[in-house]
């Protein structure tokens, strides 16, 4: 007989005996149904009576979603997650400041101690700087502002600045400083005037003589000689200008002797006469175009001095 089956029969008899001994007790014993056993020489695996219900696996909390790391890109700023697109709010218009202002538009502008370029430079302002306008000069060509804690002036010119706000409210400054005195120039040594060189003429003065004449005329007997004073020079003119500006000319010709009625004889080869007119007369030699070619003599008509003998010599 199978050993397992024998052990089972013994245990069953033990249970029946115990049950009979306690039948008089009031406690009711619940009988357990005994399964029908079938003897076999091959051990039969015991079937499970009523398999327990499968235990439901505890609900696991959903894994926390983590942001996928973004691959670093070689930029100077850190990458941030791209926010969802939103409709931008309309820009709020910048209110015009009540205080008028001036903005520097040039790269560098001088700020001066007064309204004008004749005032010294107090400081400088750079492009983009904005200053409140405190006042203006009478013409409105300069604005008074505060820079670095000091009141200074900046030019009002579109090439250098731009005005912001209502310029009609800007008042004229009452404390405009007086411009600095103009520095006196240092005395310099005035160079001595260079004398104008005398023109070079082909004829120079030779001699001049005054004669008495009672006639109501003024007479000029001119003589033009060669270098050796041995003969006349032709092709030029004796020219005389009277005190009233009248100009007269006469050509130099062959040599002639003077009037025998005069106190002494003289040689001449050109003659000019004017009505009596006191004053200074100018005498010189001219070429065919009326250009002076000699030094100039001056004669003064006074009392009976009315005749003159100007003479020139070839150089």
């Amino acid at each position: 007989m199978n050993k397992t089956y024998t052990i089972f029969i013994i245990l069953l008899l033990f249970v029946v005996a115990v049950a009979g001994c306690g039948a008089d007790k009031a406690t009711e014993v619940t009988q357990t149904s005994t399964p029908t056993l079938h003897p076999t020489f091959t051990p039969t695996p015991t079937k499970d009576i009523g398999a327990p219900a499968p235990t439901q696996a505890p609900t696991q909390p959903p894994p926390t979603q983590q942001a996928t790391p973004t691959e670093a890109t070689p930029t100077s700023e850190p990458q941030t997650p791209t926010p969802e697109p939103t409709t931008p709010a309309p820009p709020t218009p910048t209110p015009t400041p009540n205080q008028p202002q001036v903005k520097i538009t040039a790269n560098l502008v001088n700020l001066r101690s007064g309204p004008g370029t004749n005032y010294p430079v107090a400081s400088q302002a750079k492009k983009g700087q904005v200053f409140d306008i405190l006042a203006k000069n009478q013409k409105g060509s300069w604005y008074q502002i505060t820079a670095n804690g000091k009141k200074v002036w900046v030019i009002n010119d579109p090439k250098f600045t731009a005005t912001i706000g209502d310029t009609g409210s800007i008042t004229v400054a009452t404390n405009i400083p007086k411009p600095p005195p103009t520095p006196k120039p240092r005395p310099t040594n005035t160079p001595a005037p260079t004398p104008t060189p005398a023109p070079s003429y082909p004829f120079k003065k030779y001699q001049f003589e005054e004669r008495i004449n009672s006639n109501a005329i003024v007479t000029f007997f001119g003589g033009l000689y060669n270098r050796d004073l041995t003969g006349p020079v032709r092709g030029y003119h004796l020219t005389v200008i009277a005190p009233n500006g009248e100009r007269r000319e006469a050509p130099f010709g062959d040599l002639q002797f003077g009037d025998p009625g005069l106190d002494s004889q003289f040689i001449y080869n050109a003659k000019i006469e004017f009505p009596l007119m006191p004053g200074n007369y100018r005498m010189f030699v001219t070429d065919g175009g009326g250009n002076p070619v000699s030094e100039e003599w001056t004669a003064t008509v006074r009392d009976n001095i009315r005749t003159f003998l100007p003479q020139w010599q070839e150089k």
Side-chain angles (χ1 to χ4, degrees):
M1 178 179 296
N2 188 281
K3 185 177 180 180
T4 302
Y5 183 78
T6 301
I7 295 173
F8 180 77
I9 295 299
I10 295 173
L11 288 176
L12 178 60
L13 293 176
F14 176 78
V15 172
V16 173
V18 173
C21 293
D24 55 344
K25 295 183 181 181
T27 302
E28 184 178 1
V29 178
T30 303
Q31 296 181 355
T32 303
S33 58
T34 303
T36 303
L37 300 177
H38 301 280
T40 178
F41 294 100
T42 304
T44 304
T46 306
K47 296 183 179 181
D48 293 333
I49 302 175
T55 304
Q56 184 177 2
T59 305
Q60 297 293 331
T64 303
Q65 184 176 1
Q66 299 180 352
T68 303
T70 305
E71 183 180 355
T73 56
T75 60
S76 59
E77 297 182 358
Q79 297 293 325
T80 56
T82 303
E84 295 182 1
T86 58
T87 303
T92 304
T94 303
T96 302
N98 296 328
Q99 177 72 27
Q101 297 177 319
V102 59
K103 182 177 181 180
I104 307 300
T105 56
N107 292 332
L108 199 64
V109 175
N110 288 331
L111 304 179
R112 298 184 177 270
S113 60
T117 55
N118 55 334
Y119 289 84
V121 176
S123 60
Q124 292 181 321
K126 296 180 180 180
K127 185 175 184 179
Q129 287 186 278
V130 179
F131 302 92
D132 290 341
I133 300 175
L134 305 179
K136 64 181 178 180
N137 64 343
Q138 188 68 36
K139 295 181 180 180
S141 56
W142 288 80
Y143 290 142
Q144 188 183 49
I145 62 174
T146 299
N148 300 324
K150 296 181 180 179
K151 290 183 178 181
V152 293
W153 292 81
V154 63
I155 192 169
N156 176 23
D157 191 318
K159 295 184 292 185
F160 305 101
T161 56
T163 306
I164 304 172
D166 181 15
T167 58
S169 62
I170 305 174
T171 58
V172 177
T174 58
N175 57 344
I176 298 178
K178 293 182 179 180
T182 304
K184 295 181 179 180
R186 295 181 179 179
T188 57
N189 295 328
T190 304
T194 303
T196 303
S200 178
Y201 295 128
F203 298 96
K204 62 181 180 179
K205 293 179 181 179
Y206 170 54
Q207 63 182 13
F208 179 77
E209 184 179 350
E210 296 178 345
R211 297 272 178 110
I212 295 175
N213 183 4
S214 59
N215 295 329
I217 58 173
V218 180
T219 307
F220 299 89
F221 295 97
L224 186 63
Y225 309 113
N226 57 19
R227 185 177 293 105
D228 299 330
L229 300 175
T230 58
V233 176
R234 303 176 184 85
Y236 296 93
H237 292 79
L238 170 63
T239 302
V240 180
I241 298 178
N244 64 353
E246 182 182 356
R247 175 173 175 153
R248 294 187 180 184
E249 296 183 0
F252 286 101
D254 293 333
L255 290 176
Q256 300 179 13
F257 287 99
D259 191 336
L262 297 177
D263 295 337
S264 61
Q265 299 292 325
F266 55 86
I267 300 175
Y268 69 93
N269 57 343
K271 180 180 179 180
I272 293 178
E273 293 183 328
F274 282 91
L276 181 59
M277 185 187 311
N280 295 327
Y281 291 76
R282 297 167 52 204
M283 299 155 285
F284 49 91
V285 180
T286 58
D287 59 14
N291 302 306
V293 293
S294 72
E295 298 170 342
E296 184 176 296
W297 291 106
T298 301
T300 303
V301 174
R302 60 198 185 280
D303 299 330
N304 290 333
I305 305 300
R306 306 173 186 176
T307 299
F308 304 93
L309 285 69
Q311 296 178 354
W312 294 269
Q313 177 185 359
E314 188 177 29
K315 289 184 178 179

